[in-house]
Amino acid sequence: MNQTDFEALLNDTTKRVVGDISWTEDEDHSPTVEFRVEVESDAGYPIFIRGSYNSLAGALSYTVVHRGSGRIYALDLGKEHHNPSCTNVGEKHKHRWNEPLRDKDAYVPDDITAPVTEPVAVWQQFCTEANIQHRGVMRRPPPIQMEIL
């Protein structure tokens, strides 16, 4: 993927997620819940979105994955990031694909204002900024079930 292809994909307003989104337990039975949804578009981009949320750790991620190039765009809340230039970005940051560094560089966004404790509101802001229509409902993540020992 080159920079022109990435910019065209990101700016394409026909990208859409069709259907409701439900969070499921991760395969390791950790406190993390997750989802994966396909992204449709008129251009037929081979992309999907993966989401993960851990309310105990206060960590939330929405990641756009291109099947040929890997992660091309992501939002992380609750996790700090160290850039290749040795700068640190805070616990709220985005990864945006670029030719020289691919997805390794991150920056602090000003368009995500909802807190990590509100993953549905963060999802709505993420979709708006990434030009993705969600034709459905994102369900709230289920409460964490703690085991009794």
Side-chain angles (χ1 to χ4, degrees), residues 35-57:
F35 71 84
R36 177 182 161 152
V37 292
E38 296 295 319
V39 178
E40 299 174 6
S41 67
D42 292 355
Y45 301 114
I47 58 175
F48 62 90
I49 298 174
R50 191 176 6 207
S52 68
Y53 178 58
N54 183 324
S55 62
L56 289 180

Side-chain angles (χ1 to χ4, degrees), residues 23-80:
W23 299 84
T24 59
E25 277 188 27
D26 82 337
E27 59 192 33
D28 298 326
H29 304 288
S30 75
T32 300
V33 291
E34 54 195 13
F35 71 84
R36 177 182 161 152
V37 292
E38 296 295 319
V39 178
E40 299 174 6
S41 67
D42 292 355
Y45 301 114
I47 58 175
F48 62 90
I49 298 174
R50 191 176 6 207
S52 68
Y53 178 58
N54 183 324
S55 62
L56 289 180
L60 174 66
S61 292
Y62 295 125
T63 304
V64 178
V65 179
H66 185 279
R67 285 183 178 81
S69 300
R71 179 176 73 167
I72 59 170
Y73 195 74
L75 169 67
D76 292 323
L77 300 179
K79 303 177 217 174
E80 290 193 14

Side-chain angles (χ1 to χ4, degrees), residues 92-104:
K92 175 174 75 170
H93 62 272
K94 282 186 183 172
H95 296 264
R96 180 184 173 102
W97 194 90
N98 67 55
E99 280 187 76
L101 296 174
R102 302 185 59 87
D103 68 340
K104 304 295 185 241

